Amino acid sequence: MRTLIWDPVEYDETAAQSLAAALDVSPVIARLLCHRGHGDPEAAHRFLNPELSQLWDPYRLADMRPAVERLCAALERQELVAIHGDYDVDGVTSTVILRRALELLGGRVTHFIPERLRDGYGLQVPAVERLHAEGVRVIVSVDCGIRSAEAARRARELGVDLIITDHHEPEAEIPAALAVINPKRPDCTYPDKHLAGVGVAFKLVQALCQRFGRERWLPAFLKLAAIGTVADMVPLVGENRIIAKLGLERLSQGPHTVGLRALLESAGLQNKVIDGFSVSFGLAPRINAAGRMSTPDLATRLLLASDEAQLDEVRRLAEQLGEENTRRQAYEAEIVVEAKKQVETDIHVGAHNVLVVAGDGWHRGVIGIVASKLVDAFYKPTIVLSIEDGLAHGSCRSIPAFDMLGALDTCADLFQKYGGHKQAAGLTMEAARIPEFRERINAHGLDRLEPTDLMPKLRIDTALRFSGIDAKLIAGLEQMAPFGLANAKPVFDAAGVELIGAPRRIKERHLKMQLRQDGRMFSAMAWRSAEKAGLWEQHRQALRLAFSLDKQTFRGETTIELTVADLRCPDGAMGAS
């Protein structure tokens, strides 16, 4: 059972009090803003009240102008334009918003999204050749392409103009395309470097809207841009926050296209407030399931549907996405069990700082989720490899202290291809080289990781007594949402908490309980903590609670519920980690 290290955040109380007075917010909210880097009243106000007017000029992105000029020429000449996407939520939403924007401007547009098992990842030469044969004269990649130098060369040979939009880390060589729009280009001075792929596509849409005097269209694209941004787990600050905050608000309000409405209905989210949790655990898994288990075109066709006459068709598509998601969950659960067994029983796997597990025929569509589950379980960088026909296809997930893409760079000679981010990446290699890979990446991990790096920390934002939970605080937390990377959901610390009655098991894994402090009692949920019920009953007095706050609505009644992040007993017995 793993113990969390509580890591209290330091803040300047004087600065927090000054900010609380300037903004008329709860002192707790002011503390949260200060230690998130928004201590200046004007900056804090902008953070709490994002607006489209705060977006940067899209033409500050390198190569935006030639990209827009070429697309304008294609629109005028009625040339066929293809959007080349990716099979995850970020790639699908990017494809949909750019295709829809160009069609609204009168363009002839098609799209192509590779299938994971058939086509592999990213922009590849065969796709360029196929699109050229179909009469495409301009290809715009979204959420991919920055490491596709060979595909760019082939496009040039065929006379196809390639526009790359991406947000992944580039290699030393930028592909020789007509335009390469990526804020992470070394020569790009764009102020916001952490856009999702859909964020970069959205900037291209913004530039096109400006060019044609259609700025009023821009808010309509925010809904899908928000889904892709939240799902891709990029830092929710800067332009990502503007996109996510405003997009989620529009998702909650409607109206929606028939396709998006069917997706919301299938996830049980119609006529509900859509927040980051709704996207991450309701919408994103369904969209992702298409690319993981069958074809991403299921989700793309659903989200492109805008004609009410398509209602029956889109409902069938939404139902199919739900079925694929259920199938994905079954595969995932089976592989997690097998992978955990390797970690726990094979010293050559589990004894290292970087976990490298492999299995014959593991479904490649779910190994990324499995890697994330293993990181959660063991708090070590993890690489999950699926072996088929002598090749190993891998998904990699990491912890904050370990740069996964940098680690893969040290083993680049072992791979047929690889790429990604510091925290998530993918690779393909010969299966016979797995032992060498495991040895080399763990030598790198041994050099880079300290023992304390492998001890999970629980960020504690500030102390909060139950008596301080009021409407002003809840309103402030709602303004700070959505939460995610760089704007983590606040975790509070309360001492002297009392457990009232016995915790109740929910679905055999979770605990529902009543907690009291200062004469106030709240319902609380401790997820995946059922085995700790007996321990907490023994130490029901003077507990130390780390918790977050959630608003729950049931049958029209709204209440505040606590979510237990950790619960410590007076004698130091372990809590809910």
Side-chain angles (χ1 to χ4, degrees), residues 2 335-359 362 370-385 438 442:
R2 197 175 65 194
I335 297 173
V336 165
V337 170
E338 294 179 28
K340 281 186 175 180
K341 184 177 180 181
Q342 285 188 26
V343 176
E344 293 166 348
T345 62
D346 187 342
I347 192 171
H348 299 294
V349 176
H352 293 296
N353 286 350
V354 182
L355 302 178
V356 181
V357 296
W362 283 354
V370 172
S372 295
K373 297 271 188 180
L374 295 183
V375 172
D376 290 342
F378 300 104
Y379 203 70
K380 291 181 177 182
T382 300
I383 297 153
V384 179
L385 299 163
R438 181 181 284 122
N442 268 292

Side-chain angles (χ1 to χ4, degrees), residues 35 46 53 70 78 96 115 163 177 190 244 254 260 288 329 339 341 361 390 422 429 451 505 567:
H35 57 62
R46 288 167 60 87
S53 60
R70 183 62 185 90
Q78 285 293 287
V96 172
E115 294 190 10
I163 297 169
Y190 194 69
L260 183 54
N288 261 332
Q329 290 169 330
K341 184 177 180 181
K422 291 182 178 179
M429 63 184 296
R505 288 177 182 261
L567 191 56

